[in-house]
Amino acid sequence: MQPNLTYSIVIETDNLTTIPWDEFSELLDILGEQIQEATKLAYSPQPEIFFVLADEETAASAFLDEVTSKNPALAQQAHFQVLCVPNGRYYELKNAGICATSSDIVVLCDSDVIPEPGWLCNLLSPFREEEDAIASLGCSYLLHDDWLSKALALFWFFSLRDEDEKVISKRPLLVNNCSFRREWLLDHLFSINDGFKVDCSLLYREMISEGIKIHRPPAYAGHQPLRGWRFLAWRAAVTGRDMDRKYELIKSASRIKRILYPFRRSFTQFRRVLIRIVTKRRLVGLPIWHVPSAIAIGWWFYFLAGWEQFKLATGITRSAPEHIPEWVEHS
């Protein structure tokens, strides 16, 4: 067992534009409590927390003042640093935070997740128990409070909170809830491409190819619901474009195979939506009378995703760096 492991927490703020500050503040309050708990268990006290902004350097001071004033308890538990990457995208922000750390372990967290009790200690536990542990993957699930968010939780790619252990044990890498040995992660920074959420799949593939032992402790965190029809429509479209990018990078660059893949994948997703909503609806409390509309929303989501995937594969649209557009409706 390794006592006094040092760790740093990297929080990119790319998702902060989609949630109210009060929800972000809730995350910070929870982190303060969990850092205190980790310190009592002999993890190194006063960890670094890196907030990474996609903004100019002039924004750092005001952001730090806001965090300190609204979360004074956390300010007593950790050392804050604010990094700025002008116009930076999701993985660029994470890379900047990773490179700034100096601890044994790097914890990656997003601004729109709400950790459950024991999350931090559970996520760190593999490194304390095994000297050669490299990766610890938490379990993220979508929070839900109405019929639409319940439907989305069912057909989204996250596991459900109360899904059977067999499904959860196979969860892939989600970089809103994971931790890594810093030395290894510095040698495997996220590769930057046009995709919105592609690089976590590429890193996970590297982990598998290198034979990395992947620890999956019970480190649960709820992800805030995706709000607004415009945001949901854009998220469906970018999901499709990202699927073409992943297929090209991981499976095949063949134009013909890329064009055919959306049809096969769409059929699979339509079937998955139907089965999951019908069989898993009780896990999120979805009433049976909402099942038809939930299935319709799921099919609409993956139809739009498949259409965007097809357009990118055929060259109807050209790939460009993905940003959350200004027209998207935020919560």
Side-chain angles (χ1 to χ4, degrees), residues 93-133:
L93 302 183
K94 288 193 179 292
N95 279 347
I98 293 166
C99 291
T101 62
S102 58
S103 305
D104 299 319
I105 309 301
V106 177
V107 176
L108 299 178
C109 179
D110 280 7
S111 54
D112 56 359
V113 299
I114 302 296
E116 290 190 5
W119 167 80
L120 181 60
C121 289
N122 288 338
L123 197 60
L124 293 172
S125 61
F127 305 102
R128 192 172 186 179
E129 295 165 1
E130 297 186 20
E131 189 173 350
D132 59 349

Side-chain angles (χ1 to χ4, degrees), residues 144-273:
H144 43 78
D145 52 16
D146 58 16
W147 78 269
L148 180 58
S149 58
K150 289 176 182 179
L152 186 59
L154 287 165
F155 66 73
W156 198 244
F157 57 88
F158 289 178
S159 301
L160 296 174
R161 171 60 180 85
D162 297 317
E163 194 127 36
D164 61 82
E165 189 59 36
K166 182 179 179 181
V167 173
I168 293 177
S169 67
K170 295 180 180 179
R171 61 185 180 266
L173 168 63
L174 296 173
V175 293
N176 62 9
N177 179 3
C178 60
S179 57
F180 289 91
R181 188 78 61 175
R182 177 178 175 271
E183 291 182 2
W184 185 88
L185 191 55
L186 282 175
D187 290 333
H188 298 78
L189 292 173
F190 297 107
S191 58
I192 305 302
N193 54 67
D194 288 344
F196 184 64
K197 297 292 174 68
V198 171
D199 295 330
C200 49
S201 298
L202 301 181
L203 182 60
Y204 187 67
R205 184 168 177 260
E206 285 187 52
M207 294 163 61
I208 298 299
S209 66
E210 291 186 15
I212 299 296
K213 181 180 179 180
I214 299 173
H215 298 267
R216 293 181 172 90
Y220 290 90
H223 186 290
Q224 296 292 357
L226 306 187
R227 301 294 193 186
W229 286 99
R230 281 183 283 177
F231 186 87
L232 190 60
W234 174 78
R235 198 65 177 86
V238 78
T239 295
R241 294 192 293 268
D242 277 355
M243 282 308 304
D244 180 64
R245 295 178 178 114
K246 291 177 187 178
Y247 189 86
E248 182 180 15
L249 291 169
I250 297 175
K251 297 290 187 180
S252 173
S254 165
R255 178 75 70 176
I256 297 298
K257 290 182 178 180
R258 287 171 57 199
I259 291 172
L260 294 176
Y261 181 59
F263 297 96
R264 186 170 74 252
R265 180 176 180 273
S266 294
F267 175 79
T268 300
Q269 292 296 346
F270 291 162
R271 181 174 175 273
R272 176 180 177 272
V273 166

